[in-house]
């Protein structure tokens, strides 16, 4: 998706390209060069507010846009959170348990959420470049 295009709620596919080769500390040895993940885009105020609340899990990931921070109040499971800049590059990663308030990141324009442990399995790390292909319009 181009930088100037308007985001809309819906289904998409997330592509992860790793900035550097080889595993980072604490990451699995076998990390593929690129990964495709099912993605839900939450671009409207209503969709961002609802987010992952009331769910027992998520298949793939959810992209909140625009967003620079998240919370896990009233959530039922721990999540991995990746803060992304305007070009969809990961600027920060964290894992949050239910009942926490995340700090906003200054350069973050989007937030990617997934079940705890999923981002490590995908090989996602600071500096990873992401791509999004919308499947519904």
């Amino acid at each position: 998706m181009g930088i100037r295009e308007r985001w809309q709620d819906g289904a998409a596919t997330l592509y992860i390209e790793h900035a550097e080769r080889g595993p980072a500390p604490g990451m699995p040895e076998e990390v593929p060069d690129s990964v495709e993940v099912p993605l839900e885009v939450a671009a409207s105020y209503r969709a961002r507010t609802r987010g992952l609340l009331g769910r027992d899990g998520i298949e793939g990931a959810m992209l909140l846009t625009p967003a620079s921070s998240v919370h896990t109040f009233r959530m039922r499971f721990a999540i991995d959170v990746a803060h992304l800049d305007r070009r969809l590059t990961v600027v920060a990663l964290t894992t949050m348990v239910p009942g926490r308030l995340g700090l906003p990141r200054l350069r973050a324009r989007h937030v990617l959420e997934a079940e705890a442990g999923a981002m490590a399995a995908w090989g996602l790390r600071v500096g990873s470049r992401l791509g999004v292909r919308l499947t519904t319009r």
Side-chain angles (χ1 to χ4, degrees), residues 37-40 55 57-62 115 122:
V37 178
L39 180 70
E40 295 177 43
R55 296 187 187 191
I58 182 171
E59 178 72 28
M62 177 174 277
E115 285 193 39
W122 302 334

Side-chain angles (χ1 to χ4, degrees), residues 67-73 75 79 81-83 92-106 108 111 113:
S68 62
S69 67
V70 295
H71 68 84
T72 56
F73 299 121
M75 289 193 62
I79 59 171
V81 177
H83 297 326
L93 285 168
T94 189
T95 300
M96 294 177 65
V97 296
R100 300 287 186 233
L101 177 64
L103 296 174
R105 304 293 174 156
L106 292 177
V111 174
E113 298 178 337

